[in-house]
Amino acid sequence: MTTSNTPLLKVDDLRTYFHTRNGVVKAVDGISFHVNRGETLGIVGESGSGKSVSSYTLMRLIPTPPGRIESGSAVFDGMDLLKMPEKDLRKVRGNRVTMIFQDPMTCLNPYLRVGEQLMEPLLIHKGLSRDDARKRAIRALEEVGIQGAASRVNHYPHEFSGGMRQRVMIAMALITEPELLIADEPTTALDVTVQAQILDLIKKLQREKGTAVVFITHDLGVISGMADRVLVMYAGRAVETGVTRDVFYHPQHPYTQALIDSIPASHAPGEELFTIKGLPPDVSKPLPGCAFSLRCLHAEEACRSTDARIHELSAGHGSSCLRVHQGSLKVITHRVAHASGQGAHA
Amino acid sequence: MNAQTQNFLEVRDVKTHFPVHQGLIFQKQVGAVRAVDGITLSMRQGEVLGLVGESGCGKSTLGRTIMQIIPPTFGSVMINGQVVSKLSAGDLKRARREFQMIFQDPYASLNPRMTVFDTLAEPLLFHGLATKSEVTEKVSELMREVGLAPRFMKKYPHEFSGGQRQRIAIARALALQPKLIIADEPVSALDVSIQSQILNLLVDLTKRRNLTMIFISHDLGVVKHISDRVAVMYLGKIVELAETKALFAHPRHPYTRALLSAVPLPDPDKEKARTRILLEGDPPSPMNPPQGCRFHPRCSYMKDACKASEPELESAAPGHEVACLRHQEI
């Protein structure tokens, strides 16, 4: 057992590559992070940044081949999830570490009643009798706010709406009372009002049960309300990590700043939005130096050749930007620039 | 332009119903999905109207009905003084020059077998806006206007990224110099950094060309940014219509309030401080909308009168219309 100050999950130098006919796609290329008990770590990034592949890697759900975990460790409660034998992993996965996927329609078995699917982990991991498991399944549905749970357990997934299915998925992920929940874009397919219900539910259950959550999303709004700490990913690499408030209000990487400034909420209506020039890089090609340097407004020669790794700037707040470390660049968001501009006028 | 009508677009009591059939051989109609169920709105030239609502509220169907892609079951649509819902097929083809559409998915809305040149030249040649000799120059001009280098003219859609494809789709919509653009979730499929490029382009184009635009989106942040006025839809009806600033500052309909409070803000302190109005359950089926106010089963201000009669849009303040019996009390 671990002591209280070691993190629940510690990931070091994780690399997952896909060996395809067109070359090696470095989907995740050396990321490190940790999750403490009961806290929420938000992982943000655009499509192709490797955030989902990271989570699939932790659950060892990467199709091999073509995928391969090249290096790294993911220590959960003293056990390395990436190296432990499949037999032992099965006792952890779906029991102590569980996952919610983005699309609840494709992740529920359409042929099985939801009750059966909810009971399965209890029968396998907890050794409950069918009767007890069924009672527990009904209670789990009640906990996620599904009315008439006693009869709803006998329904098939197609008889539920999108929001309800996502509730079933959450009930299923939490039924074994896991210590760690990985939520991969759990609300992206849902409408805002339903999203608000689901986010509220995850927060409530997390508070009650002390579950740690890794919350993966591309939506900065969702992250700002959910996460205690944030990890920003770009092209398979981590570019910034820190407490949510620090990352949002004082970003220390030009990519984080660009991401925040690209959203309309950072601007007055109709005002020209900040844009990032160019396109995300092709991760199957070698990317020397900082992966963002090709699109970065502040990049210098050294950025394209020096390996960029996260270095801590202040307690718990790290950035991979070379120029920020050297002190030759101060990252300022539009909002801050605007506020100080107004201050000068007043 | 017609001197009698000031409004560029007039939608009058439009209803679009999709019949639902049952039975394999002797199909009989058992009901109808009332996707759009009585919408009246008007727009000035050069105005951008945001149309928001959750999936299934009928916002896309309304856009397509105005475009005459789906003919309305009832009611009329008048664009620039011409009643387009009454036109013959041939006249409609000619009239379509005036109003064009941009779709959500730039992967599905471009023909994969046509080069950018083919895609952009086709409407120009069809409507006689360019001769064979001038068409290359016109296509280059269009491409430059949407921020694409003309040297990519001979490339196919699969050679472009999502954002670039959306630029091609925008260029195609602009080719005929339309006066009205209906953009159906044009940035929803794009990443934030690409989304901001396309939004800047759309803001710029509407100003430069004095375009009238209906911007359909479920993303309230984007709608707030681009629109002059906003219409909120719920189950086939407009529940609130107001200037963007007024709507976001003082939403009057309980549904609008809930919708606005549900939008996550990219600001941790504000997120922590705000209180959410959580709605119960899911929107009901548009096949069988609730009696009376359609929102009453989920509304926390509901009283008996709301079940009995369906509220019509009425003016709550200058330029601010709301369809709620109790809007003055709440």
Side-chain angles (χ1 to χ4, degrees):
Chain A
M1 275 291 124
T2 49
T3 55
S4 61
N5 55 6
T6 52
L8 177 66
L9 174 73
K10 191 164 187 334
V11 176
D12 257 313
D13 196 38
L14 187 70
R15 286 171 208 268
T16 307
Y17 295 174
F18 290 88
H19 298 260
T20 68
R21 213 176 290 174
N22 300 321
V24 181
V25 178
K26 298 177 177 176
V28 176
D29 199 16
I31 63 164
S32 304
F33 61 86
H34 70 272
V35 188
N36 295 321
R37 283 175 193 277
E39 80 166 352
T40 302
L41 172 76
I43 301 185
V44 255
E46 296 182 90
S47 30
S49 62
K51 51 193 196 303
S52 288
V53 175
S54 320
S55 63
Y56 278 70
T57 305
L58 294 179
M59 298 293 273
R60 292 248 297 262
L61 293 173
I62 295 290
T64 314
R68 201 159 82 194
I69 302 167
E70 301 286 330
S71 76
S73 62
V75 179
F76 170 79
D77 193 18
M79 303 170 284
D80 189 344
L81 294 175
L82 306 182
K83 298 203 180 67
M84 65 201 288
E86 189 73 29
K87 186 167 68 68
D88 298 339
L89 180 68
R90 286 181 170 220
K91 292 191 186 127
V92 177
R93 183 172 59 193
N95 181 19
R96 299 179 62 193
V97 184
T98 58
M99 190 158 175
I100 308 173
F101 300 89
Q102 177 174 351
D103 184 355
M105 193 66 238
T106 52
C107 295
L108 292 172
N109 187 334
Y111 287 118
L112 287 180
R113 297 172 198 274
V114 299
E116 284 297 321
Q117 300 185 57
L118 282 163
M119 285 157 63
E120 200 176 26
L122 297 173
L123 300 175
I124 294 171
H125 294 298
K126 303 287 181 205
L128 261 60
S129 70
R130 283 192 66 84
D131 252 14
D132 290 344
R134 194 182 161 76
K135 279 185 200 130
R136 183 71 194 87
I138 293 170
R139 192 145 49 87
L141 285 184
E142 280 165 357
E143 280 172 354
V144 296
I146 290 180
Q147 283 167 7
S151 64
R152 288 296 250 170
V153 286
N154 295 321
H155 286 193
Y156 288 94
H158 74 265
E159 297 174 89
F160 291 83
S161 69
M164 285 293 158
R165 269 181 229 147
Q166 199 56 290
R167 283 167 193 265
V168 173
M169 284 270 290
I170 293 172
M172 201 179 295
L174 293 175
I175 201 162
T176 56
E177 310 214 334
E179 287 135 274
L180 178 65
L181 170 71
I182 298 172
D184 186 8
E185 306 253 12
T187 57
T188 307
L190 306 174
D191 274 318
V192 272
T193 56
V194 183
Q195 167 172 285
Q197 297 168 1
I198 298 293
L199 295 179
D200 202 59
L201 176 68
I202 294 176
K203 267 197 250 182
K204 181 177 143 256
L205 294 174
Q206 180 182 19
R207 252 197 323 268
E208 287 168 8
K209 304 191 194 272
T211 316
V213 179
V214 176
F215 199 100
I216 296 165
T217 179
H218 67 279
D219 188 328
L220 290 169
V222 172
I223 276 286
S224 77
M226 290 298 290
D228 300 310
R229 286 188 306 114
V230 177
L231 176 78
V232 184
M233 286 188 70
Y234 183 78
R237 304 174 192 183
V239 296
E240 183 162 356
T241 173
V243 174
T244 309
R245 281 195 86 241
D246 292 344
V247 173
F248 272 81
Y249 297 137
H250 309 287
Q252 294 296 336
H253 195 286
Y255 176 66
T256 316
Q257 171 253 318
L259 209 54
I260 291 170
D261 284 348
S262 297
I263 35 181
S266 311
H267 296 257
E271 189 184 15
E272 192 178 348
L273 301 175
F274 186 89
T275 56
I276 307 176
K277 281 189 293 182
L279 297 170
D282 181 352
V283 289
S284 64
K285 306 260 157 53
L287 282 170
C290 168
F292 188 59
S293 63
L294 301 165
R295 303 171 76 190
C296 182
L297 294 173
H298 313 287
E300 287 176 340
E301 257 329 286
C303 298
R304 301 196 177 92
S305 54
T306 318
D307 255 2
R309 299 191 130 265
I310 291 239
H311 289 280
E312 208 156 82
L313 296 158
S314 57
H317 194 172
S319 160
S320 74
C321 181
L322 190 69
R323 293 201 53 200
V324 167
H325 293 298
Q326 291 169 343
S328 67
L329 176 67
K330 224 173 129 54
V331 178
I332 296 169
T333 58
H334 179 82
R335 198 179 344 211
V336 171
H338 197 70
S340 61
Q342 276 183 334
H345 284 292
Chain B
M1 200 194 276
N2 195 327
Q4 284 175 319
T5 49
Q6 280 184 318
N7 288 323
F8 182 75
L9 171 75
E10 288 270 4
V11 174
R12 277 210 202 111
D13 200 22
V14 161
K15 294 183 181 171
T16 311
H17 296 177
F18 297 102
V20 177
H21 298 282
Q22 211 168 51
L24 275 176
I25 303 159
F26 302 105
Q27 292 206 338
K28 63 171 194 209
Q29 190 177 335
V30 290
V33 174
R34 292 149 78 172
V36 174
D37 207 16
I39 282 189
T40 300
L41 65 92
S42 55
M43 283 175 77
R44 301 183 307 274
Q45 184 156 24
E47 187 183 26
V48 179
L49 176 77
L51 198 54
V52 296
E54 296 180 273
S55 39
C57 72
K59 55 191 193 302
S60 287
T61 306
L62 177 61
R64 282 159 201 241
T65 304
I66 294 172
M67 279 295 297
Q68 304 299 314
I69 296 173
I70 306 167
T73 315
F74 187 83
S76 69
V77 176
M78 188 159 74
I79 299 173
N80 205 5
Q82 193 175 25
V83 183
V84 291
S85 49
K86 296 274 186 295
L87 292 179
S88 66
D91 288 342
L92 183 61
K93 261 186 196 161
R94 277 182 286 280
R96 279 247 167 84
R97 261 189 66 180
E98 303 260 303
F99 47 104
Q100 290 286 319
M101 190 150 183
I102 302 166
F103 298 90
Q104 172 172 0
D105 185 355
Y107 293 82
S109 65
L110 296 172
N111 187 333
R113 292 176 173 237
M114 284 166 87
T115 62
V116 181
F117 175 81
D118 296 337
T119 300
L120 299 181
E122 188 179 48
L124 292 169
L125 295 171
F126 179 86
H127 285 276
L129 264 74
T131 59
K132 280 244 162 81
S133 55
E134 344 170 287
V135 77
T136 312
E137 184 44 44
K138 288 247 176 173
V139 168
S140 312
E141 213 174 281
L142 270 171
M143 288 181 75
R144 271 193 292 269
E145 193 170 359
V146 297
L148 288 170
R151 66 189 150 91
F152 295 137
M153 203 181 276
K154 296 287 175 199
K155 286 189 183 255
Y156 287 91
H158 75 263
E159 298 175 84
F160 292 95
S161 68
Q164 287 170 320
R165 282 183 216 207
Q166 203 55 301
R167 287 176 193 269
I168 300 169
I170 292 171
R172 179 179 61 185
L174 293 175
L176 299 172
Q177 302 186 315
K179 299 200 174 76
L180 172 71
I181 291 271
I182 295 178
D184 188 1
E185 305 260 11
V187 296
S188 307
L190 307 173
D191 267 321
V192 250
S193 69
I194 310 299
Q195 175 178 309
S196 62
Q197 296 174 2
I198 300 296
L199 283 177
N200 282 347
L201 176 67
L202 286 173
V203 169
D204 184 48
L205 286 171
T206 46
K207 279 191 191 136
R208 195 145 29 109
R209 292 192 169 210
N210 194 27
L211 286 172
T212 311
M213 179 160 76
I214 297 183
F215 189 95
I216 302 169
S217 180
H218 68 277
D219 186 332
L220 285 129
V222 170
V223 165
K224 184 181 182 182
H225 184 76
I226 201 164
S227 317
D228 300 315
R229 283 195 301 154
V230 177
V232 182
M233 279 184 74
Y234 186 76
L235 275 182
K237 287 234 166 199
I238 291 180
V239 297
E240 188 161 2
L241 177 65
E243 303 268 327
T244 308
K245 221 172 155 185
L247 187 103
F248 280 88
H250 308 289
R252 288 169 189 266
H253 197 283
Y255 176 65
T256 314
R257 289 187 186 191
L259 198 62
L260 291 183
S261 88
V263 179
L265 298 172
D267 189 326
D269 285 353
K270 279 192 200 156
E271 268 294 303
K272 208 163 280 172
R274 74 203 293 219
T275 44
R276 283 230 154 82
I277 307 167
L278 284 181
L279 291 179
E280 293 281 315
D282 298 305
S285 152
M287 228 179 111
N288 189 14
Q291 291 289 308
C293 173
R294 292 171 184 216
F295 185 58
H296 85 256
R298 300 172 81 193
C299 182
S300 54
Y301 299 99
M302 195 266 293
K303 58 177 189 182
D304 285 346
C306 301
K307 288 187 209 165
S309 67
E310 189 162 8
E312 291 296 321
L313 271 180
E314 55 179 271
S315 180
H320 197 139
E321 291 175 77
V322 56
C324 175
L325 288 176
R326 304 190 61 192
H327 72 85
Q328 269 153 341
E329 306 160 50
I330 53 184

